[in-house]
Amino acid sequence: MKRAIIESRPYLLLSLLFGISYFFLFVLNEPDLPDLVKMLWKGAGVGFLAIYALRRVHGFDGKLIAAIMAFGALGDMLIELDLILGAAAFLVGHCIAITLYLRHRRPSTAFSQKLFAVVLVPVTIYIAWSLPHDRSEALGIAFYSAFLAVMAAMAWTSEFPRYRVGVGALLFVVSDLFIFSRSGFLQNSAIPDWTVWPLYYLGQFLIATGVVRTLRDKLHVPNP
């Protein structure tokens, strides 16, 4: 079984290797390595998820989930250079994700789940808007968070596994809120350092694997 996984999903294993090692090598430590190495290492974690998705699912939906991960990886790298550039890449990824989730709506959704998705959007936007001490940043953060929140709401109410893809999207939201908290009440705290990357990477991993598995099941392709 282990050999089958290694042979069929090498890019998933490479993603785990880079995603987990990035946290211990670059977040918890400050190695004497060029910034370019750090940037590429950071992008490789989600970048390999994009390749994994592209190789595992063919067709338009496969390209969509691969593009979501690709723009996530691009955002991971660009944010090391400029926060706005990184946010722009992530925003494009959120728009693509919303498109994918709209293409795969859940046939019927319980009222409580619909209510959660509806409430999630304004609550996320309000929390994000309220976080920065510099109020000149609040509007831009709220604008970005609107796309982030809609993406998560669409994931939660899509036909993809809620406790994999939906939870993954929520982890993405929480991770970004911790990023914004660095401009506010956690600016002198180590909490964001310990939470942002693990929550974000786990969220992306759950989204990619959950979407890929569902799409392969719909195409009746075996999942070794």
Side-chain angles (χ1 to χ4, degrees), residues 22 35-36 38-44 70-92 197 200:
Y22 173 79
D35 290 341
L36 180 61
K38 177 184 178 181
M39 186 172 68
L40 293 175
W41 200 296
K42 185 180 184 184
F71 276 101
L74 181 62
D76 291 336
M77 293 185 288
L78 289 179
I79 205 169
E80 295 294 318
L81 302 175
D82 183 85
L83 183 63
I84 301 301
L85 289 177
F90 283 121
L91 193 147
V92 173
W197 181 259
Y200 164 75

Side-chain angles (χ1 to χ4, degrees), residues 4-5 7-12 49 51-63 65 100 104 159-161 164-165 207-224:
I5 292 174
E7 291 178 350
S8 63
R9 305 175 186 177
Y11 299 110
L12 193 60
L49 288 179
I51 301 174
Y52 158 77
L54 198 61
R55 294 295 298 270
R56 297 287 288 174
V57 181
H58 302 292
F60 185 63
D61 287 331
K63 291 181 175 61
I65 184 60
L100 175 65
H104 294 271
E159 69 174 354
F160 297 112
R164 181 176 288 189
V165 177
I207 291 169
T209 55
V211 169
V212 166
R213 186 175 184 87
T214 301
L215 292 177
R216 285 176 65 85
D217 286 345
K218 292 183 71 173
L219 294 172
H220 305 291
V221 179
N223 287 290

Side-chain angles (χ1 to χ4, degrees), residues 42 79 83 90 131 141 144 172-184 186-187 192 195-197 200:
K42 185 180 184 184
I79 205 169
L83 183 63
F90 283 121
L131 284 174
I141 289 175
Y144 166 84
F172 200 143
V173 171
V174 175
S175 173
D176 274 2
L177 291 178
F178 273 117
I179 290 177
F180 304 146
S181 72
R182 284 173 168 161
S183 301
L186 291 180
Q187 65 182 94
T195 55
V196 169
W197 181 259
Y200 164 75

Side-chain angles (χ1 to χ4, degrees), residues 23 27-28 178 182 186 188-198:
F23 178 70
V27 178
L28 300 185
F178 273 117
R182 284 173 168 161
L186 291 180
N188 297 317
S189 172
I191 293 175
D193 294 336
W194 282 91
T195 55
V196 169
W197 181 259

Side-chain angles (χ1 to χ4, degrees), residues 128-177:
W129 173 83
S130 67
L131 284 174
H133 287 325
D134 183 352
R135 302 312 298 161
S136 65
E137 299 176 356
L139 184 60
I141 289 175
F143 175 79
Y144 166 84
S145 297
F147 289 88
L148 172 69
V150 170
M151 177 278 293
M154 291 296 100
W156 191 258
T157 54
S158 72
E159 69 174 354
F160 297 112
R162 180 169 290 144
Y163 296 105
R164 181 176 288 189
V165 177
V167 168
L170 292 180
L171 291 176
F172 200 143
V173 171
V174 175
S175 173
D176 274 2
L177 291 178

